[in-house]
Amino acid sequence: MLLPLLLLWQVPALAATVLVFGDSLSAGYGLSPGQGWAALLGRELAPRHKVVNASVSGETSAGGLSRLPDALNRHKPDVLVLELGANDGLRGLPMAEMRRNLQRMIDMAQARDVQVLLVGMALPPNYGPRYGAEFRAVYDELAKRNQLAYVPLLIEGFAGDLSAFQRDGLHPRAESQATMMRTVKAKLPVK
């Protein structure tokens, strides 16, 4: 009877499952497997916490909304890192639609007692200051209204440094991923 108890004592229980649910910025577009910030976060939090990356390159808020119920059922996360909307902005979609989709995902997660960390982005300057400001305001408003843990800018610390990005000027290089991971980890509701 003592041996099974000793074995249970030696196996650390997972404190939380963190589901990263984003677009190419979280999927590691243009990087080798294991180089993206979500993979780095998984190594940083292991073995205490489990990180599942369900990000898809090219994903919009509408696509994420359609995929989220299955992801929540499959992974049963304690924390949802919601990093979507950049592709909505790049396509010039109405901000009301993006806001509505993100709010529905937040509601869906919170209805299951999943904590949400909202991760924001900024658009390139060629989209104009008004549209760019409206885009950023969506994240600020959602974070405040829902009292969420919040990263206002995933690329904080190197946003203006073109050498930190791949040739497309949108996707961070491997060398920038640790900065992104630390930015997210600092606001993660689990340590």
Side-chain angles (χ1 to χ4, degrees):
M1 184 68 175
L2 185 59
L3 183 59
L5 289 176
L6 286 173
L7 290 175
L8 286 174
W9 177 76
Q10 293 176 349
V11 178
L14 288 175
T17 296
V18 177
L19 176 62
V20 178
F21 201 73
D23 53 32
S24 58
L25 297 170
S26 296
Y29 176 85
L31 304 174
S32 297
Q35 287 186 316
W37 74 263
L40 298 178
L41 182 66
R43 289 196 289 277
E44 183 82 9
L45 297 180
R48 183 154 170 79
H49 303 298
K50 176 183 176 183
V51 175
V52 176
N53 190 359
S55 301
V56 173
S57 291
E59 188 71 280
T60 62
S61 64
L65 179 59
S66 70
R67 287 191 315 111
L68 186 58
D70 182 58
L72 292 173
N73 288 335
R74 179 179 300 144
H75 303 294
K76 299 182 180 12
D78 301 286
V79 177
L80 172 67
V81 178
L82 182 57
E83 182 274 309
L84 284 172
N87 290 310
D88 296 54
L90 292 174
R91 294 174 186 183
L93 295 177
M95 291 299 96
E97 182 180 332
M98 183 178 95
R99 180 184 294 107
R100 195 168 36 253
N101 291 337
L102 291 172
Q103 183 63 62
R104 288 178 63 195
M105 286 185 271
I106 292 165
D107 292 343
M108 199 179 297
Q110 289 180 333
R112 297 171 185 236
D113 293 322
V114 175
Q115 296 181 72
V116 178
L117 169 58
L118 182 63
V119 179
M121 272 304 298
L123 293 176
N126 59 311
Y127 282 78
R130 182 176 175 196
Y131 188 70
E134 289 175 12
F135 179 81
R136 292 288 301 269
V138 168
Y139 295 102
D140 295 340
E141 291 165 12
L142 289 172
K144 185 175 181 179
R145 180 186 323 139
N146 295 284
Q147 299 179 348
L148 302 177
Y150 180 43
V151 171
L153 185 61
L154 181 59
I155 55 174
E156 185 68 44
F158 64 89
D161 179 4
L162 286 179
S163 70
F165 292 86
Q166 297 173 42
R167 288 181 187 222
D168 63 11
L170 297 173
H171 296 93
R173 296 168 47 122
E175 296 80 10
S176 305
Q177 300 296 313
T179 300
M180 296 164 71
M181 182 273 292
R182 287 189 296 271
T183 297
V184 172
K185 184 183 175 205
K187 298 296 178 94
L188 205 59
V190 295
K191 301 297 176 206

